[in-house]
């Protein structure tokens, strides 16, 4: 094999850019995780809005919520966590399509699920491929 052939065979393939300009609001308080998620989504053709916590997300939703196709939120954050954020949005009459992400057990969502039914959860740590797959899957389901 030539060096060029080896490079082609061993180079990991990039995820397809298939976001189609849809908008994902990422609510994540860990800067490193937020930066990686935002970069992956943008690199795959999504428009991305980022809020560092639920309070900032509520403010951003008030300004640009009409643009959001998917709310991708961490579960546990300071101030207002993901489930509380979604509760606030639901209480205000919004029906966002939601994908939660968490490094904790699903138990953190128990109270929320008891009130609203099962939720989509992306467990941390996750790969780039798994993130993009979960986002695509949620975007393919009708909003609530």
């Amino acid at each position: 094999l030539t060096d060029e052939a080896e490079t082609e065979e061993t180079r990991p393939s990039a995820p397809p850019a298939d976001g189609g300009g849809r908008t994902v609001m990422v609510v994540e308080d860990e800067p490193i995780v937020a930066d990686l998620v935002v970069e992956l989504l943008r690199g795959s053709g999504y428009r991305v809005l980022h809020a560092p916590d639920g309070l900032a997300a509520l403010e951003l939703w008030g300004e640009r919520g009409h643009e959001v196709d998917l709310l991708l939120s961490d579960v546990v954050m300071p101030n207002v966590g993901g489930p509380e954020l979604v509760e606030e949005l639901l209480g205000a009459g919004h029906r966002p399509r939601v994908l939660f992400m968490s490094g904790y057990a699903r138990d953190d969502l128990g109270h929320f699920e008891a009130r609203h039914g099962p939720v989509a959860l992306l467990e941390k740590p996750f790969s780039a491929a798994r993130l993009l797959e979960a986002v695509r899957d949620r975007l393919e389901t009708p909003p609530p």
Side-chain angles (χ1 to χ4, degrees):
L1 293 175
T2 67
D3 289 339
E4 184 177 326
E6 288 177 9
T7 303
E8 286 299 316
E9 288 180 16
T10 58
R11 182 180 302 145
S13 61
D18 62 356
R22 290 171 290 187
T23 301
V24 178
M25 180 186 288
V26 175
V27 187
E28 171 60 61
D29 62 313
E30 292 292 331
I32 292 171
V33 175
D35 290 348
L36 288 171
V37 169
V38 167
E39 183 180 324
L40 281 167
L41 292 172
R42 284 188 177 145
S44 293
Y46 295 97
R47 293 182 336 151
V48 181
L49 304 174
H50 174 250
D53 61 40
L55 286 177
L58 287 169
E59 185 176 321
L60 185 57
W61 187 278
E63 298 166 6
R64 301 188 58 190
H66 62 280
E67 300 173 33
V68 176
D69 297 299
L70 177 66
L71 177 65
L72 174 60
S73 178
D74 194 6
V75 173
V76 178
M77 295 179 286
N79 300 320
V80 175
E84 295 84 10
L85 165 62
V86 175
E87 289 275 359
E88 289 285 329
L89 293 174
L90 292 172
H94 303 289
R95 299 289 177 258
R97 188 182 284 121
V98 178
L99 174 59
F100 286 115
M101 53 184 167
S102 181
Y104 299 96
R106 192 175 192 99
D107 296 345
D108 292 320
L109 291 167
H111 179 69
F112 185 88
E113 287 185 309
R115 294 184 61 180
H116 302 286
V119 298
L121 176 65
L122 177 61
E123 293 185 25
K124 296 177 183 176
F126 47 78
S127 66
R130 179 66 191 114
L131 168 68
L132 295 174
E133 175 186 31
V135 167
R136 274 191 307 269
D137 288 351
R138 278 310 282 153
L139 285 168
E140 288 176 5
T141 62

